[in-house]
Amino acid sequence: MKQEYASRKFIDLIQGATSKWANWDPPRKIEVGDYGMIINTTGEFDWEGNIYSPHFQEQLKSSKYKYDIDLTDPTLRPVEQEAKDDYHIAKSWGVTATKNKTSSETAVSGGVNVALKLDLQFASNKPEAVLVMHKPTYSSLPNDERIIRLVKSVPDILKGKYIVTEVISCAAYMMHMYNQKTEKFSVALTAAGPVAPGVDAGGAASYTWSSEAAYGLFREGCDPTARYMPLYRLKKPRPKFWELPFGHRGNEISNNMINRWEDVDPPWNPLDNEGEEYEIYDAEMHGDFGVFPEGFADDDDD
């Protein structure tokens, strides 16, 4: 696979199966409330601003709608939630992931504990992708009508833009994309440091990823003091959101709450195994008005 298209292919595989977007560079911050677009060639998020930033607040003051909102209100801040499980997996359709024994059950020599171990199976001969996060934290935009009115009050800034409504962050992540053949292997996250056997890895322990895979693209990061952001959700208001004037009542609020916004689809055509776009034949552009989409000539005069 061409390196220049690797990020787009990985992101496309994860998005197609989960409706969430992989951040190809997890140390780079992507925050709830960010807005922007998707770069077609790489699949990465093109940041333009954040609704919680001081700069956006200044722009809000100059809006013709003069909507007064205090985003320091705790009920309007992103909602933080710890995960029930100690890991989160986002994967394409052809990947099977099975959790093995964890550090609470397994310790290896040298005072190293296995914090997470997974058996991965890639069950096809086409590219497949998996993203594993350890100790994930979920952050989401509150489903509050004041946020809806805030977005609607600045169409000159936010109309046509995508908004980050959810971010999954973690202290350790692993990405793997494989396109050689059907394969099965294990990946493990080990923790070394002041961690007693039988006690879950944490505290000041240092993490290390290891993989049995001999092929494929492998990216990882692990730092107990870091906050990686490998996965996020992009949404956009429904098409009629911008048609009704600001302040319109009726069913406007209930129909346009954030949980009813649309997930963002990739801006590129379907990708081949190398991450390049398939060319879509445009009959109208080529003047072939007598051709069906299936490619058969239209001999019917009716």
Short mmCIF file of all heavy atoms in Angstrom, two decimals, residues 141-184:
data_model
loop_
_atom_site.label_atom_id
_atom_site.label_comp_id
_atom_site.label_asym_id
_atom_site.label_seq_id
_atom_site.Cartn_x
_atom_site.Cartn_y
_atom_site.Cartn_z
N LEU A 141 -20.58 15.98 23.68
CA LEU A 141 -21.29 17.26 23.71
C LEU A 141 -22.64 17.05 24.38
O LEU A 141 -23.36 16.10 24.04
CB LEU A 141 -21.48 17.75 22.27
CG LEU A 141 -21.68 19.24 22.00
CD1 LEU A 141 -20.49 20.05 22.48
CD2 LEU A 141 -21.92 19.47 20.51
N PRO A 142 -23.02 17.89 25.34
CA PRO A 142 -24.31 17.70 26.02
C PRO A 142 -25.47 17.88 25.05
O PRO A 142 -25.44 18.79 24.20
CB PRO A 142 -24.31 18.77 27.12
CG PRO A 142 -23.35 19.81 26.64
CD PRO A 142 -22.30 19.06 25.87
N ASN A 143 -26.46 17.05 25.16
CA ASN A 143 -27.64 17.12 24.28
C ASN A 143 -28.60 18.16 24.83
O ASN A 143 -29.69 17.84 25.32
CB ASN A 143 -28.28 15.74 24.17
CG ASN A 143 -29.26 15.64 23.02
OD1 ASN A 143 -28.97 16.12 21.93
ND2 ASN A 143 -30.40 15.02 23.27
N ASP A 144 -28.19 19.42 24.75
CA ASP A 144 -28.90 20.53 25.38
C ASP A 144 -29.38 21.50 24.30
O ASP A 144 -28.62 21.85 23.39
CB ASP A 144 -27.96 21.25 26.37
CG ASP A 144 -28.68 22.23 27.26
OD1 ASP A 144 -29.20 23.24 26.73
OD2 ASP A 144 -28.70 22.02 28.49
N GLU A 145 -30.61 21.96 24.40
CA GLU A 145 -31.16 22.84 23.36
C GLU A 145 -30.41 24.17 23.27
O GLU A 145 -30.41 24.80 22.21
CB GLU A 145 -32.65 23.11 23.60
CG GLU A 145 -32.95 23.96 24.81
CD GLU A 145 -34.44 24.28 24.90
OE1 GLU A 145 -35.24 23.35 25.15
OE2 GLU A 145 -34.80 25.45 24.69
N ARG A 146 -29.72 24.56 24.33
CA ARG A 146 -28.94 25.81 24.25
C ARG A 146 -27.75 25.65 23.30
O ARG A 146 -27.35 26.62 22.64
CB ARG A 146 -28.47 26.22 25.65
CG ARG A 146 -29.59 26.69 26.56
CD ARG A 146 -29.11 26.85 27.99
NE ARG A 146 -28.77 25.57 28.60
CZ ARG A 146 -28.23 25.44 29.82
NH1 ARG A 146 -27.97 26.52 30.54
NH2 ARG A 146 -27.99 24.25 30.31
N ILE A 147 -27.20 24.45 23.23
CA ILE A 147 -26.12 24.19 22.26
C ILE A 147 -26.67 24.28 20.84
O ILE A 147 -26.01 24.82 19.94
CB ILE A 147 -25.49 22.80 22.50
CG1 ILE A 147 -24.82 22.74 23.89
CG2 ILE A 147 -24.48 22.47 21.41
CD1 ILE A 147 -23.59 23.60 24.02
N ILE A 148 -27.88 23.78 20.63
CA ILE A 148 -28.51 23.86 19.31
C ILE A 148 -28.68 25.31 18.90
O ILE A 148 -28.37 25.70 17.77
CB ILE A 148 -29.88 23.15 19.33
CG1 ILE A 148 -29.74 21.69 19.79
CG2 ILE A 148 -30.53 23.22 17.95
CD1 ILE A 148 -28.83 20.87 18.93
N ARG A 149 -29.16 26.15 19.80
CA ARG A 149 -29.37 27.56 19.48
C ARG A 149 -28.04 28.28 19.26
O ARG A 149 -27.94 29.19 18.43
CB ARG A 149 -30.16 28.24 20.60
CG ARG A 149 -31.57 27.66 20.76
CD ARG A 149 -32.46 28.53 21.64
NE ARG A 149 -33.77 27.93 21.80
CZ ARG A 149 -34.74 27.99 20.90
NH1 ARG A 149 -34.52 28.61 19.75
NH2 ARG A 149 -35.91 27.42 21.11
N LEU A 150 -27.02 27.85 19.99
CA LEU A 150 -25.69 28.42 19.80
C LEU A 150 -25.21 28.15 18.37
O LEU A 150 -24.74 29.06 17.67
CB LEU A 150 -24.72 27.80 20.81
CG LEU A 150 -23.23 28.00 20.53
CD1 LEU A 150 -22.86 29.48 20.71
CD2 LEU A 150 -22.38 27.13 21.42
N VAL A 151 -25.31 26.88 17.94
CA VAL A 151 -24.86 26.52 16.59
C VAL A 151 -25.65 27.29 15.54
O VAL A 151 -25.09 27.83 14.58
CB VAL A 151 -25.01 25.00 16.38
CG1 VAL A 151 -24.75 24.63 14.92
CG2 VAL A 151 -24.07 24.23 17.30
N LYS A 152 -26.96 27.40 15.73
CA LYS A 152 -27.84 28.04 14.75
C LYS A 152 -27.62 29.55 14.67
O LYS A 152 -27.94 30.18 13.66
CB LYS A 152 -29.29 27.73 15.08
CG LYS A 152 -30.25 27.91 13.92
CD LYS A 152 -31.63 27.43 14.29
CE LYS A 152 -32.59 27.51 13.11
NZ LYS A 152 -32.25 26.58 12.03
N SER A 153 -27.05 30.12 15.72
CA SER A 153 -26.88 31.58 15.76
C SER A 153 -25.68 32.07 14.95
O SER A 153 -25.52 33.27 14.75
CB SER A 153 -26.73 32.06 17.22
OG SER A 153 -25.49 31.63 17.77
N VAL A 154 -24.83 31.14 14.48
CA VAL A 154 -23.63 31.55 13.73
C VAL A 154 -23.52 30.76 12.42
O VAL A 154 -22.53 30.05 12.19
CB VAL A 154 -22.35 31.39 14.57
CG1 VAL A 154 -22.21 32.50 15.59
CG2 VAL A 154 -22.32 30.03 15.28
N PRO A 155 -24.52 30.89 11.54
CA PRO A 155 -24.47 30.13 10.28
C PRO A 155 -23.28 30.52 9.41
O PRO A 155 -22.78 29.70 8.63
CB PRO A 155 -25.80 30.48 9.60
CG PRO A 155 -26.19 31.79 10.20
CD PRO A 155 -25.72 31.73 11.62
N ASP A 156 -22.84 31.76 9.52
CA ASP A 156 -21.70 32.20 8.71
C ASP A 156 -20.41 31.48 9.10
O ASP A 156 -19.45 31.43 8.33
CB ASP A 156 -21.50 33.71 8.84
CG ASP A 156 -21.39 34.17 10.28
OD1 ASP A 156 -22.07 33.58 11.14
OD2 ASP A 156 -20.62 35.12 10.55
N ILE A 157 -20.38 30.89 10.31
CA ILE A 157 -19.20 30.17 10.78
C ILE A 157 -19.38 28.65 10.69
O ILE A 157 -18.48 27.93 10.24
CB ILE A 157 -18.88 30.55 12.24
CG1 ILE A 157 -18.59 32.05 12.35
CG2 ILE A 157 -17.69 29.74 12.77
CD1 ILE A 157 -18.43 32.53 13.78
N LEU A 158 -20.56 28.15 11.07
CA LEU A 158 -20.74 26.72 11.24
C LEU A 158 -21.53 26.03 10.14
O LEU A 158 -21.51 24.80 10.06
CB LEU A 158 -21.40 26.43 12.60
CG LEU A 158 -20.58 26.83 13.83
CD1 LEU A 158 -21.35 26.49 15.10
CD2 LEU A 158 -19.23 26.12 13.82
N LYS A 159 -22.22 26.77 9.30
CA LYS A 159 -22.98 26.12 8.24
C LYS A 159 -22.05 25.40 7.28
O LYS A 159 -21.08 25.97 6.78
CB LYS A 159 -23.82 27.16 7.47
CG LYS A 159 -24.77 26.53 6.45
CD LYS A 159 -25.63 27.58 5.78
CE LYS A 159 -26.60 26.94 4.79
NZ LYS A 159 -27.48 27.95 4.15
N GLY A 160 -22.34 24.12 7.04
CA GLY A 160 -21.50 23.31 6.16
C GLY A 160 -20.30 22.68 6.84
O GLY A 160 -19.57 21.91 6.21
N LYS A 161 -20.10 22.98 8.13
CA LYS A 161 -18.96 22.42 8.86
C LYS A 161 -19.39 21.16 9.62
O LYS A 161 -20.56 20.93 9.89
CB LYS A 161 -18.39 23.44 9.85
CG LYS A 161 -18.01 24.78 9.23
CD LYS A 161 -16.98 24.61 8.13
CE LYS A 161 -16.59 25.95 7.53
NZ LYS A 161 -15.68 25.81 6.37
N TYR A 162 -18.39 20.35 9.98
CA TYR A 162 -18.61 19.17 10.79
C TYR A 162 -18.20 19.48 12.22
O TYR A 162 -17.21 20.18 12.46
CB TYR A 162 -17.79 17.98 10.28
CG TYR A 162 -17.99 17.69 8.81
CD1 TYR A 162 -16.94 17.18 8.04
CD2 TYR A 162 -19.21 17.91 8.18
CE1 TYR A 162 -17.11 16.89 6.69
CE2 TYR A 162 -19.40 17.63 6.84
CZ TYR A 162 -18.34 17.12 6.09
OH TYR A 162 -18.51 16.84 4.76
N ILE A 163 -18.95 18.94 13.18
CA ILE A 163 -18.70 19.23 14.60
C ILE A 163 -18.34 17.93 15.34
O ILE A 163 -19.01 16.91 15.17
CB ILE A 163 -19.92 19.90 15.25
CG1 ILE A 163 -20.22 21.23 14.53
CG2 ILE A 163 -19.69 20.15 16.73
CD1 ILE A 163 -21.48 21.93 15.02
N VAL A 164 -17.30 17.99 16.14
CA VAL A 164 -16.89 16.84 16.96
C VAL A 164 -17.83 16.76 18.15
O VAL A 164 -17.84 17.65 19.01
CB VAL A 164 -15.43 16.98 17.43
CG1 VAL A 164 -15.06 15.81 18.35
CG2 VAL A 164 -14.48 17.04 16.24
N THR A 165 -18.64 15.71 18.21
CA THR A 165 -19.61 15.55 19.29
C THR A 165 -19.19 14.55 20.34
O THR A 165 -19.77 14.49 21.42
CB THR A 165 -20.98 15.12 18.73
OG1 THR A 165 -20.83 13.85 18.05
CG2 THR A 165 -21.50 16.16 17.74
N GLU A 166 -18.15 13.75 20.04
CA GLU A 166 -17.68 12.74 20.99
C GLU A 166 -16.21 12.45 20.75
O GLU A 166 -15.76 12.42 19.59
CB GLU A 166 -18.49 11.45 20.85
CG GLU A 166 -18.08 10.33 21.81
CD GLU A 166 -18.84 9.03 21.56
OE1 GLU A 166 -19.71 9.00 20.66
OE2 GLU A 166 -18.54 8.04 22.25
N VAL A 167 -15.46 12.28 21.83
CA VAL A 167 -14.04 11.91 21.74
C VAL A 167 -13.78 10.78 22.73
O VAL A 167 -14.25 10.82 23.87
CB VAL A 167 -13.12 13.11 22.06
CG1 VAL A 167 -11.65 12.66 22.13
CG2 VAL A 167 -13.28 14.21 21.03
N ILE A 168 -13.05 9.77 22.29
CA ILE A 168 -12.60 8.70 23.19
C ILE A 168 -11.10 8.86 23.35
O ILE A 168 -10.34 8.75 22.38
CB ILE A 168 -12.95 7.32 22.64
CG1 ILE A 168 -14.45 7.22 22.37
CG2 ILE A 168 -12.53 6.23 23.63
CD1 ILE A 168 -14.89 5.90 21.78
N SER A 169 -10.67 9.14 24.56
CA SER A 169 -9.25 9.34 24.85
C SER A 169 -8.73 8.20 25.72
O SER A 169 -9.51 7.43 26.29
CB SER A 169 -9.04 10.68 25.56
OG SER A 169 -9.78 10.74 26.76
N CYS A 170 -7.41 8.08 25.81
CA CYS A 170 -6.81 6.97 26.57
C CYS A 170 -5.35 7.27 26.85
O CYS A 170 -4.79 8.25 26.35
CB CYS A 170 -6.94 5.67 25.78
SG CYS A 170 -6.09 5.71 24.18
N ALA A 171 -4.72 6.41 27.66
CA ALA A 171 -3.30 6.56 27.98
C ALA A 171 -2.43 5.62 27.15
O ALA A 171 -1.21 5.70 27.20
CB ALA A 171 -3.06 6.29 29.47
N ALA A 172 -3.06 4.72 26.38
CA ALA A 172 -2.30 3.80 25.52
C ALA A 172 -3.20 3.37 24.37
O ALA A 172 -4.37 3.04 24.56
CB ALA A 172 -1.83 2.58 26.31
N TYR A 173 -2.64 3.37 23.17
CA TYR A 173 -3.41 2.97 22.00
C TYR A 173 -2.52 2.13 21.07
O TYR A 173 -1.29 2.21 21.10
CB TYR A 173 -3.93 4.19 21.23
CG TYR A 173 -2.84 4.94 20.49
CD1 TYR A 173 -2.53 4.63 19.17
CD2 TYR A 173 -2.11 5.94 21.12
CE1 TYR A 173 -1.51 5.29 18.50
CE2 TYR A 173 -1.10 6.62 20.46
CZ TYR A 173 -0.81 6.28 19.15
OH TYR A 173 0.21 6.93 18.49
N MET A 174 -3.16 1.34 20.22
CA MET A 174 -2.46 0.55 19.22
C MET A 174 -3.31 0.50 17.96
O MET A 174 -4.52 0.24 18.01
CB MET A 174 -2.21 -0.87 19.74
CG MET A 174 -1.39 -1.78 18.80
SD MET A 174 -2.37 -2.54 17.47
CE MET A 174 -3.52 -3.54 18.39
N MET A 175 -2.70 0.81 16.81
CA MET A 175 -3.36 0.71 15.51
C MET A 175 -2.66 -0.36 14.68
O MET A 175 -1.43 -0.42 14.66
CB MET A 175 -3.27 2.03 14.74
CG MET A 175 -3.91 3.23 15.40
SD MET A 175 -3.57 4.71 14.39
CE MET A 175 -4.56 5.93 15.23
N HIS A 176 -3.46 -1.16 13.99
CA HIS A 176 -2.86 -2.15 13.09
C HIS A 176 -3.73 -2.28 11.85
O HIS A 176 -4.95 -2.43 11.94
CB HIS A 176 -2.72 -3.51 13.77
CG HIS A 176 -1.85 -4.46 13.02
ND1 HIS A 176 -0.49 -4.56 13.23
CD2 HIS A 176 -2.12 -5.35 12.03
CE1 HIS A 176 0.04 -5.46 12.42
NE2 HIS A 176 -0.94 -5.96 11.68
N MET A 177 -3.09 -2.22 10.69
CA MET A 177 -3.77 -2.46 9.41
C MET A 177 -3.02 -3.56 8.68
O MET A 177 -1.79 -3.51 8.56
CB MET A 177 -3.84 -1.18 8.57
CG MET A 177 -4.61 -1.38 7.27
SD MET A 177 -5.12 0.18 6.48
CE MET A 177 -3.52 0.97 6.21
N TYR A 178 -3.77 -4.52 8.19
CA TYR A 178 -3.16 -5.73 7.63
C TYR A 178 -3.83 -6.04 6.29
O TYR A 178 -5.05 -6.00 6.18
CB TYR A 178 -3.37 -6.88 8.61
CG TYR A 178 -2.52 -8.10 8.36
CD1 TYR A 178 -1.22 -8.16 8.85
CD2 TYR A 178 -3.02 -9.19 7.65
CE1 TYR A 178 -0.44 -9.29 8.63
CE2 TYR A 178 -2.24 -10.32 7.44
CZ TYR A 178 -0.96 -10.37 7.92
OH TYR A 178 -0.18 -11.47 7.71
N ASN A 179 -3.05 -6.36 5.26
CA ASN A 179 -3.65 -6.67 3.97
C ASN A 179 -2.92 -7.78 3.23
O ASN A 179 -2.96 -7.87 2.00
CB ASN A 179 -3.70 -5.42 3.09
CG ASN A 179 -2.31 -4.90 2.73
OD1 ASN A 179 -1.32 -5.29 3.33
ND2 ASN A 179 -2.26 -4.02 1.74
N GLN A 180 -2.23 -8.65 3.97
CA GLN A 180 -1.46 -9.72 3.33
C GLN A 180 -2.32 -10.95 3.05
O GLN A 180 -2.46 -11.39 1.94
CB GLN A 180 -0.27 -10.11 4.22
CG GLN A 180 0.74 -8.98 4.42
CD GLN A 180 1.50 -8.67 3.15
OE1 GLN A 180 1.83 -9.57 2.39
NE2 GLN A 180 1.76 -7.39 2.91
N LYS A 181 -2.90 -11.50 4.10
CA LYS A 181 -3.68 -12.72 3.99
C LYS A 181 -4.40 -12.94 5.31
O LYS A 181 -4.26 -12.16 6.26
CB LYS A 181 -2.76 -13.91 3.71
CG LYS A 181 -1.67 -14.11 4.77
CD LYS A 181 -0.75 -15.26 4.43
CE LYS A 181 0.33 -15.42 5.53
NZ LYS A 181 1.22 -16.55 5.25
N THR A 182 -5.19 -14.00 5.37
CA THR A 182 -5.82 -14.35 6.64
C THR A 182 -4.74 -14.63 7.68
O THR A 182 -3.80 -15.38 7.43
CB THR A 182 -6.72 -15.59 6.46
OG1 THR A 182 -7.71 -15.31 5.48
CG2 THR A 182 -7.39 -15.97 7.77
N GLU A 183 -4.87 -14.02 8.84
CA GLU A 183 -3.80 -14.11 9.83
C GLU A 183 -4.39 -14.03 11.23
O GLU A 183 -5.41 -13.39 11.47
CB GLU A 183 -2.80 -12.98 9.62
CG GLU A 183 -1.56 -13.04 10.50
CD GLU A 183 -0.58 -14.13 10.09
OE1 GLU A 183 -0.83 -14.81 9.09
OE2 GLU A 183 0.42 -14.31 10.78
N LYS A 184 -3.72 -14.68 12.17
CA LYS A 184 -4.11 -14.62 13.58
C LYS A 184 -2.87 -14.40 14.42
O LYS A 184 -1.86 -15.09 14.24
CB LYS A 184 -4.82 -15.91 14.01
CG LYS A 184 -5.34 -15.89 15.44
CD LYS A 184 -6.12 -17.15 15.78
CE LYS A 184 -6.67 -17.08 17.20
NZ LYS A 184 -7.44 -18.31 17.53
#
